[in-house]
Every structure is written in C-alpha cells, then in structure tokens.
Amino acid sequence: MGTHTVITMRNAMPAAAEVERSDAQASNSAANREFYKSRVPIHPKLVHGTYRRIKWIVMAVTLAIYYVVPWIRWDRGPHAPDQAVLVDLAHERFYFFFVEIWPQEVYYITGLLILAAVALFLVTSLFGRLWCGYACPQTVWTDLFIYVENLIEGDRNARIRLAAGPWTASKITKRVSKHATWLVIAVLTGGAWVFYFTDAPALAHDLIAGSAPLVAYGTIAVLTFTTYTLGGMMREQVCTYMCPWPRIQGAMMDKESLQVTYRIDRGEPRAHYRKGETWDGRGDCIDCRQCVAVCPMGIDIRDGAQLECINCGLCIDACDDVMPRIGRPLRLIAYDTDANVLRRQRHEKERFRFVRPRTIGYAAVLGIVCLIMLGGLVTRSSIGLDVIRDRNPNFVQLADGSVRNAYTLKLMNRADKPRDFYLTLDGVDDRRVNIIGLGFVTLPVKLSVEADKVRAVRVLVTVPRTGLHAGSQDIEFTLRDAKTGEDRKADAVFISGAN
Amino acid sequence: MSKPDIDHVSGTETTGHEWDGIRELNTPLPRWWVGLFYLCIIWAIGYWIVMPAWPGITGYTHGILNRSQRDVVTAEVDALKAARHARETELAHASLQQIQSNPDLLQFAMAAGRTTFADNCAACHGAGGQGGHGYPNLNDDVWLWGGTLADIEHTITVGVRSTDPNTRQSQMPAFGRDGILKPEQIDDLTEYVVHISGRAANAPAVARAAKLFADNCAACHGPAGKGNQEMGAPNLTDNDWLYGPTRADIRDQIWNGRGGVMPTWAGRLSPEEIKALAVYVHSMGGGE
C-alpha cells in the first residue's frame, strides 16, 4: 500500500518532491501511552520559519544575558564591589546595579518572585505556555543541544540511521564529538553561574590557575552534570514528568487562551493529496506528518491540546512550509483558541478575547505588586533601626524601686560612607538612659556607624517609681542622620511590671 | 539446556526449584538495582583501601588517607582560633575600660562573653542573668561584691566561698540554729530589719532589737544596715532580697545564716574569657 501511494503520488503530482513526507510517529500520544513504557528517542527535524527565528533570537538574548551579566561593572565607590549583579554571600549583600539589598530586606526577593509568578500567570492565560516554549532554560539549553546534535550528526533522518546503524568509526567519531561539545557547553554553563557569587574577573583567573575555592569547582561540576543530563539526555522528559509548572499552568488557561492549535475545522478530513485533485469535501491536511517530525516533545499536534505541548510553534513553521507548495493558505496550525475553533465550526466570526475577568485579575495583581515594589524601592531608607527588647528578664526592679528595661539597638548604615547619627527616645519623659560603653548619656546622643555596616548598641532605660504609669508603655526610638536630617523610627514598649 | 519451565498461570519462567509442589517464579531484581548493588560493593572495597575501616586487636586499618574525624575537628578548631587570634590578642592587651570604649572590641567581647555565660553561668544565674531565689540577679544595680568592671572580673576570677585562697569570703552566723540568739530575739530582729527596709513593723519589737542589731549585725551590715561590699554584706534597707522579702524569709535567714557559693573560674576559663565575661555581665545592667 505504501509503495502504491508513493507511485501514484509521483505520477499524479510532479510537485511531490517539494512536499517531503514523513512516517514520523508521535511517541507521546494518548494512543500508544502506557505505563512502564521506555522512552522512544525523539529526533526532531530542523525547521525554518517565523517561530524558529524567534526561538533563535530568544535563545541568543537569554544566553547573552546569562553569560554577560556577571562581567558588567558598576562603580559603587571604595567600600563596595564593582560588579553590577553580585550575590555576595560571604558579606551578606545582594547587588543589582543601583540596588543593594541586605539580608533584612529579603522581602524584595519575595516580591520579585511574586512578580515573576504573577507575570507567568498573566502570560499563560493570554498566550498559553509561552514561557515553556521560548524562555525556559530547559527549553533554551535543550534547543542548543539539539542544534549541536544536528550540526554533528545531521538532520532527523541521518540521526535515525546513525542510531540504528552499527558502531563504525564514523559513528564513534560523531558520537564522541557530540558528547564532548555538550560537555563543553555544560561546563561553561556551570562556569558562568559561579561568577554571579563572587568577583568574576578574579574568579575566572583563579579557576584557570586552579586556585579557586573548592565550592566553585563543586558547583561547576554539579551544574555540568545537570546541564548535560537534563539538556542532552532527558530533554522533553523534564517538562513532561519532572516540572510542576506545566501542571500549574493548566489551571491558568481557558478556552480563550492562545495556544498552538491544529485548526481541526479546516484540516479535517485529512487525506493524501494528488495534484489536480479537488479540495472539495476534504480538509487541508495532507497528512505529510511534518508537524510530527519537527516536534521536540514527540507529539502529534493534530491530536489536540496535550500536556506535553510546550507551545513552541515549530509545527506551525513546518506546516507553513508545506501549505504554499500545495496552494493552500498558511496557518493550518496556528496560535489560536479553542473557542475560535468552535466558533468557526458554528460559522461564527472568530475573535480574540484578551480582556477577560481572569486576565484583568492577573494584570491587577501584577500592577499592585509592581507598585508596592516600586514604592518600597523609592522610599527605601539608607538608615535601618531595629530594636530588640530584652525578654529575659522582661524588666528589672532596682534597689530604689525604679524599673529598668534593656534594649539592643541595631543601627544600620546602608550608605557607602561612615555616618554620624543622633539617637532619641520618646514616650517616657522621666527616664535615665545608659548606653553600654558610653555610660549615662543625655539624649540625643551622637553615634557613628561605619560605611555599609551594622552597629549593635545596648541601651538601658531606667524610669523611677514615680514615673511608672501603665504596665506597658509605648515608646519610640528615632535615629537621625546628623548631616541630612533623614531619620528612621522604631517602636518598642517599656514594661514596668506595674498593674 | 532444557526448555525453561513456564508457569501457566502467570506466564512467568520458574527457577526450576520445587518444594511440596510449590514452584518458585523467576522474577529477577531490576538490572539497575543489581548494577547499583555491585557498584556499592566496588565502592566499599575502595573505601576499605582509602579510609579507616577494619578494627584490629590493638588498633585499626588507617587507610591511605589516614583520615580521622578528630583530626578534622582539631583542624577546624585551630582554624577558628587562628581567625580569632588578632581580636583575642587585642582583648588580652586592652584594659576593661578600653574594651568598653571601643565599639568593635566591645561587640567582640559581648559575643564571646555571651557564649561563655551561657556555658558556665546560666545554670545558676539564669539564661538572661536574672538570678533566682538565692542566686543574685545580675541585671539590677545591687552588687554584693561590687559592680564595677574590675570588681566583677575579680569575683569571677576568685569565686565566692570557693577553693581559691583569695576567694571572696564572708559568713553570716546561724543565729538561731547555733543558739547564739533566743528565738524571741530573732523575732524582734526580724521586725527591725522589716522596719529599716521602710515597711511598717511592730514598734516595741523594733525598739527591743536596736541594741541586738548593733551588737550582732552592724559589724558587717553597718550601723544603719546599708551593707558593705568589702565583706559581701547586703544592704538591708533596699528593695532587693536575695532570699525573699517576707518576715518568714528574713527570719529564716537570721536563723540559718545562709550564704551561696560560686566557684573560682581562674584555671577553668582563660583570662581573656574572664575579661569578656566581665564586660558581658557588666553590660547586662550597666554595673555600678
């Protein structure tokens, strides 16, 4: 039957050579999915087209960001490192261009993670799993690894032949050079990661000289292993079996979300096509299986939306390559919505509803979190003041009946120069203040803090028996910059033990 | 080889073993599991060669690396000591006042003192130095033996009623138990102490006890009962009571003449540790 098909096609359609046919089977289809089935290797065919081009560009940009960012310099003066983006674990600082975050401000990181999550929610509800198809590191690196494979071993058919063929010298050479290249990429991936955690040029020198810390080599080794296995060996299995995001994203999509869709209303019934035949009473799909051959996830998009699909659009490119050759319009496979398929089947006009309660909700949350983050960054003080009250003992009664509370104050100077501050205390009038190291002092008292440092000061506040009113009194410490007048307040309580 | 025996129910090959008509199905372990098992054996043999492994009669095999966790800990402790060396030298050479006036050194001494306090002092004085019945509160302004930095350092060094020849030493007689005073005299003295601490007391008893106090108590506690830090005699006129403020507490103390014991820390703690500890204890309530 196969022979028959080929012969008739060749006879009837001189253009048959233009439309390449494939016998590609979807290895991940519902029809042949069963438990305990070993993985069928996927050999995606290289494709050209709009979305492939976008994927190349996204790959170039994301890889460039990853590799270049640690090398960008940013002058912060003599007291701080000059690396634009640096996670300085040893000194407990995170530098991001003009922002310097202390461990106490970890909520900025939390905010950033919330932003990333909500942005993903919004994008997913609008355009489906765009993140998975284009920007996810797993996708970018797998794409890169497949590209290398394609360069060394050839395209899909050559790779299938190579895999099935005997171990000749040529096969060994190809396999060894492929794995060697992958390993080089993997090492460079891990190698770039460590630069985010310490001064990049110095570390690069140490790494090559062999004098870098063991943890740097260890990190590179671990990331080399994960990159090599996840990008080279496991590939689509990471998305299908390991990653929780696809499952969560399923909850954000609805029938109005854009996703890679085989327009079943236009394509079916599918059948092989011979040139000159009428298109009446049949669909546009000629069952050339090019969409299956190029799919990196090993699915047949014509089976409908599937959990494996990462929305990368490579099947769109493949189909768009075929359609003009048979004189049919583009986008038999396209970014489309389930709702539109239904509308066309009902002969209604198709439309895209980007503004929906769900997207409005996500956008609103995104906007609010953005505003909060922005507000937090803009009003961020260069002074920090934390008050830690002694709780053991809660208060101390002195010989003359007066009561004393002890506080440890953390004075934080986030500026890149030493500063003088004035400390004042409000809320209790009749009090005596003793600062350990300075003795009894009259407020406001001047305290200096070194650049980019925290100074802990122990403050004892004593209130005579006559000055005690409530069991617990609200008080407020204020730390004011001696020069600029910028200040920071911190609330505390004074506990007298009186009822 | 004979044809493999297939169990007709499960369709699985059997091992050919049979016991009382029961045959064993041949369901081998997964290959990856067996591989891992052999890898572990190979690993173990390598481990025996490289690491200390086998016990002997008088010792054990040391392995090529001759690694010992004790050595690892010693090396880590040495590294920590080396890292602290500069600050500790500074601490050793600085006077107590210098430590207090240098914020960096003060922070270092407080941190070191806090650990030393938690390890050695907290058992009696409490985690926050708040003391307890019979154990002085270190946060207040009442100091039996003086609350300056130097006094505190000295008390820690020699202890109270300790084995140190220079120990802080004082002993209140057990006026009741040893029969020095009659019970009714002790009742009167109790009223007297209540009176001088500023509380309402039985006036005739106070009048009777005035001479008793001058004869028996004033030598240490002072004629006005204000105490004497030279002798570790507490002030009886304030609000602070080591063994409790009630009449029963006070009477009990006169009867039994209790005194607490604090060990000498010289020899157990280094002079630098004692210095840091003194600074830390002083910082609790500001000392005197």
mmCIF file of all heavy atoms in Angstrom, chain A residues 385 387 423-428 431 473-479 488-493:
data_model
loop_
_atom_site.group_PDB
_atom_site.id
_atom_site.type_symbol
_atom_site.label_atom_id
_atom_site.label_comp_id
_atom_site.label_asym_id
_atom_site.label_seq_id
_atom_site.Cartn_x
_atom_site.Cartn_y
_atom_site.Cartn_z
ATOM 1 N N LEU A 385 16.930 50.773 61.556
ATOM 2 C CA LEU A 385 16.945 50.745 63.019
ATOM 3 C C LEU A 385 16.055 49.598 63.487
ATOM 4 O O LEU A 385 14.855 49.603 63.242
ATOM 5 C CB LEU A 385 16.452 52.081 63.584
ATOM 6 C CG LEU A 385 16.329 52.153 65.102
ATOM 7 C CD1 LEU A 385 17.678 51.968 65.757
ATOM 8 C CD2 LEU A 385 15.720 53.477 65.536
ATOM 9 N N VAL A 387 14.966 47.394 66.941
ATOM 10 C CA VAL A 387 15.034 47.387 68.397
ATOM 11 C C VAL A 387 14.666 45.996 68.894
ATOM 12 O O VAL A 387 13.601 45.474 68.571
ATOM 13 C CB VAL A 387 14.063 48.419 69.009
ATOM 14 C CG1 VAL A 387 14.119 48.359 70.529
ATOM 15 C CG2 VAL A 387 14.401 49.808 68.517
ATOM 16 N N LEU A 423 20.591 59.669 68.311
ATOM 17 C CA LEU A 423 19.570 58.752 68.802
ATOM 18 C C LEU A 423 18.717 59.476 69.827
ATOM 19 O O LEU A 423 19.243 60.101 70.756
ATOM 20 C CB LEU A 423 20.227 57.529 69.445
ATOM 21 C CG LEU A 423 19.263 56.505 70.042
ATOM 22 C CD1 LEU A 423 18.539 55.746 68.946
ATOM 23 C CD2 LEU A 423 19.987 55.525 70.959
ATOM 24 N N THR A 424 17.398 59.417 69.650
ATOM 25 C CA THR A 424 16.491 59.994 70.641
ATOM 26 C C THR A 424 15.458 58.956 71.031
ATOM 27 O O THR A 424 15.279 57.943 70.344
ATOM 28 C CB THR A 424 15.745 61.225 70.095
ATOM 29 O OG1 THR A 424 15.183 60.885 68.838
ATOM 30 C CG2 THR A 424 16.650 62.413 69.972
ATOM 31 N N LEU A 425 14.788 59.216 72.156
ATOM 32 C CA LEU A 425 13.791 58.294 72.684
ATOM 33 C C LEU A 425 12.579 59.099 73.134
ATOM 34 O O LEU A 425 12.721 60.058 73.902
ATOM 35 C CB LEU A 425 14.384 57.509 73.862
ATOM 36 C CG LEU A 425 13.408 56.729 74.740
ATOM 37 C CD1 LEU A 425 12.717 55.648 73.942
ATOM 38 C CD2 LEU A 425 14.154 56.110 75.915
ATOM 39 N N ASP A 426 11.398 58.754 72.639
ATOM 40 C CA ASP A 426 10.162 59.429 73.039
ATOM 41 C C ASP A 426 9.220 58.428 73.683
ATOM 42 O O ASP A 426 9.286 57.238 73.404
ATOM 43 C CB ASP A 426 9.470 60.039 71.817
ATOM 44 C CG ASP A 426 10.361 61.071 71.153
ATOM 45 O OD1 ASP A 426 10.743 62.028 71.839
ATOM 46 O OD2 ASP A 426 10.701 60.874 69.969
ATOM 47 N N GLY A 427 8.326 58.954 74.536
ATOM 48 C CA GLY A 427 7.314 58.083 75.133
ATOM 49 C C GLY A 427 7.441 58.008 76.637
ATOM 50 O O GLY A 427 6.455 57.806 77.334
ATOM 51 N N VAL A 428 8.654 58.124 77.138
ATOM 52 C CA VAL A 428 8.837 58.218 78.589
ATOM 53 C C VAL A 428 9.690 59.460 78.852
ATOM 54 O O VAL A 428 10.755 59.624 78.281
ATOM 55 C CB VAL A 428 9.525 56.975 79.196
ATOM 56 C CG1 VAL A 428 8.528 55.886 79.471
ATOM 57 C CG2 VAL A 428 10.634 56.485 78.306
ATOM 58 N N ARG A 431 13.206 59.679 82.497
ATOM 59 C CA ARG A 431 13.993 58.451 82.410
ATOM 60 C C ARG A 431 15.477 58.768 82.373
ATOM 61 O O ARG A 431 15.894 59.848 82.028
ATOM 62 C CB ARG A 431 13.607 57.629 81.167
ATOM 63 C CG ARG A 431 14.139 58.123 79.830
ATOM 64 C CD ARG A 431 13.384 59.317 79.296
ATOM 65 N NE ARG A 431 13.545 59.581 77.885
ATOM 66 C CZ ARG A 431 14.378 60.504 77.394
ATOM 67 N NH1 ARG A 431 15.180 61.181 78.172
ATOM 68 N NH2 ARG A 431 14.383 60.743 76.111
ATOM 69 N N GLN A 473 4.211 50.617 78.391
ATOM 70 C CA GLN A 473 4.137 51.946 77.788
ATOM 71 C C GLN A 473 4.742 51.896 76.392
ATOM 72 O O GLN A 473 5.795 51.280 76.190
ATOM 73 C CB GLN A 473 4.962 52.916 78.631
ATOM 74 C CG GLN A 473 4.159 53.956 79.364
ATOM 75 C CD GLN A 473 5.048 54.686 80.345
ATOM 76 O OE1 GLN A 473 5.498 54.095 81.326
ATOM 77 N NE2 GLN A 473 5.309 55.949 80.074
ATOM 78 N N ASP A 474 4.107 52.545 75.414
ATOM 79 C CA ASP A 474 4.683 52.583 74.074
ATOM 80 C C ASP A 474 5.783 53.624 74.026
ATOM 81 O O ASP A 474 5.588 54.765 74.448
ATOM 82 C CB ASP A 474 3.597 52.936 73.045
ATOM 83 C CG ASP A 474 2.623 51.791 72.873
ATOM 84 O OD1 ASP A 474 3.044 50.644 73.094
ATOM 85 O OD2 ASP A 474 1.452 52.057 72.547
ATOM 86 N N ILE A 475 6.910 53.241 73.501
ATOM 87 C CA ILE A 475 7.996 54.217 73.331
ATOM 88 C C ILE A 475 8.484 54.142 71.891
ATOM 89 O O ILE A 475 8.121 53.229 71.141
ATOM 90 C CB ILE A 475 9.170 53.959 74.297
ATOM 91 C CG1 ILE A 475 9.765 52.570 74.068
ATOM 92 C CG2 ILE A 475 8.724 54.121 75.741
ATOM 93 C CD1 ILE A 475 11.061 52.359 74.813
ATOM 94 N N GLU A 476 9.312 55.114 71.509
ATOM 95 C CA GLU A 476 9.769 55.177 70.118
ATOM 96 C C GLU A 476 11.209 55.681 70.074
ATOM 97 O O GLU A 476 11.517 56.742 70.605
ATOM 98 C CB GLU A 476 8.864 56.118 69.325
ATOM 99 C CG GLU A 476 9.177 56.136 67.846
ATOM 100 C CD GLU A 476 8.251 57.086 67.094
ATOM 101 O OE1 GLU A 476 8.294 58.307 67.380
ATOM 102 O OE2 GLU A 476 7.489 56.614 66.261
ATOM 103 N N PHE A 477 12.053 54.886 69.455
ATOM 104 C CA PHE A 477 13.435 55.318 69.232
ATOM 105 C C PHE A 477 13.513 55.977 67.863
ATOM 106 O O PHE A 477 12.878 55.528 66.910
ATOM 107 C CB PHE A 477 14.386 54.121 69.258
ATOM 108 C CG PHE A 477 14.625 53.562 70.632
ATOM 109 C CD1 PHE A 477 13.903 52.470 71.081
ATOM 110 C CD2 PHE A 477 15.570 54.133 71.476
ATOM 111 C CE1 PHE A 477 14.119 51.944 72.344
ATOM 112 C CE2 PHE A 477 15.799 53.613 72.743
ATOM 113 C CZ PHE A 477 15.074 52.516 73.182
ATOM 114 N N THR A 478 14.288 57.048 67.744
ATOM 115 C CA THR A 478 14.497 57.702 66.452
ATOM 116 C C THR A 478 15.990 57.835 66.205
ATOM 117 O O THR A 478 16.741 58.266 67.083
ATOM 118 C CB THR A 478 13.864 59.101 66.435
ATOM 119 O OG1 THR A 478 12.512 58.988 66.827
ATOM 120 C CG2 THR A 478 13.948 59.707 65.044
ATOM 121 N N LEU A 479 16.383 57.446 64.995
ATOM 122 C CA LEU A 479 17.781 57.582 64.583
ATOM 123 C C LEU A 479 17.808 58.593 63.450
ATOM 124 O O LEU A 479 17.159 58.400 62.432
ATOM 125 C CB LEU A 479 18.310 56.219 64.121
ATOM 126 C CG LEU A 479 19.821 56.091 64.000
ATOM 127 C CD1 LEU A 479 20.479 56.258 65.358
ATOM 128 C CD2 LEU A 479 20.186 54.729 63.415
ATOM 129 N N ARG A 488 14.832 57.570 60.899
ATOM 130 C CA ARG A 488 14.187 56.257 60.900
ATOM 131 C C ARG A 488 13.689 56.009 62.328
ATOM 132 O O ARG A 488 14.429 56.205 63.273
ATOM 133 C CB ARG A 488 15.231 55.207 60.517
ATOM 134 C CG ARG A 488 14.669 53.861 60.293
ATOM 135 C CD ARG A 488 14.213 53.697 58.873
ATOM 136 N NE ARG A 488 13.695 52.343 58.647
ATOM 137 C CZ ARG A 488 12.892 52.031 57.672
ATOM 138 N NH1 ARG A 488 12.512 52.932 56.811
ATOM 139 N NH2 ARG A 488 12.468 50.793 57.524
ATOM 140 N N LYS A 489 12.432 55.626 62.440
ATOM 141 C CA LYS A 489 11.865 55.404 63.777
ATOM 142 C C LYS A 489 11.612 53.918 64.005
ATOM 143 O O LYS A 489 11.395 53.171 63.055
ATOM 144 C CB LYS A 489 10.550 56.165 63.925
ATOM 145 C CG LYS A 489 10.699 57.675 63.858
ATOM 146 C CD LYS A 489 9.344 58.346 63.903
ATOM 147 C CE LYS A 489 9.401 59.828 63.584
ATOM 148 N NZ LYS A 489 10.245 60.603 64.505
ATOM 149 N N ALA A 490 11.652 53.513 65.252
ATOM 150 C CA ALA A 490 11.329 52.125 65.595
ATOM 151 C C ALA A 490 10.538 52.117 66.892
ATOM 152 O O ALA A 490 10.936 52.746 67.867
ATOM 153 C CB ALA A 490 12.597 51.298 65.728
ATOM 154 N N ASP A 491 9.408 51.415 66.863
ATOM 155 C CA ASP A 491 8.562 51.334 68.054
ATOM 156 C C ASP A 491 9.064 50.254 68.999
ATOM 157 O O ASP A 491 9.635 49.262 68.566
ATOM 158 C CB ASP A 491 7.121 50.998 67.653
ATOM 159 C CG ASP A 491 6.487 52.141 66.897
ATOM 160 O OD1 ASP A 491 6.905 53.285 67.156
ATOM 161 O OD2 ASP A 491 5.601 51.889 66.061
ATOM 162 N N ALA A 492 8.795 50.465 70.273
ATOM 163 C CA ALA A 492 9.114 49.463 71.278
ATOM 164 C C ALA A 492 8.178 49.707 72.450
ATOM 165 O O ALA A 492 7.346 50.612 72.403
ATOM 166 C CB ALA A 492 10.572 49.567 71.703
ATOM 167 N N VAL A 493 8.287 48.885 73.489
ATOM 168 C CA VAL A 493 7.493 49.121 74.689
ATOM 169 C C VAL A 493 8.416 49.152 75.895
ATOM 170 O O VAL A 493 9.508 48.583 75.888
ATOM 171 C CB VAL A 493 6.408 48.042 74.906
ATOM 172 C CG1 VAL A 493 5.300 48.180 73.911
ATOM 173 C CG2 VAL A 493 7.010 46.660 74.899
#
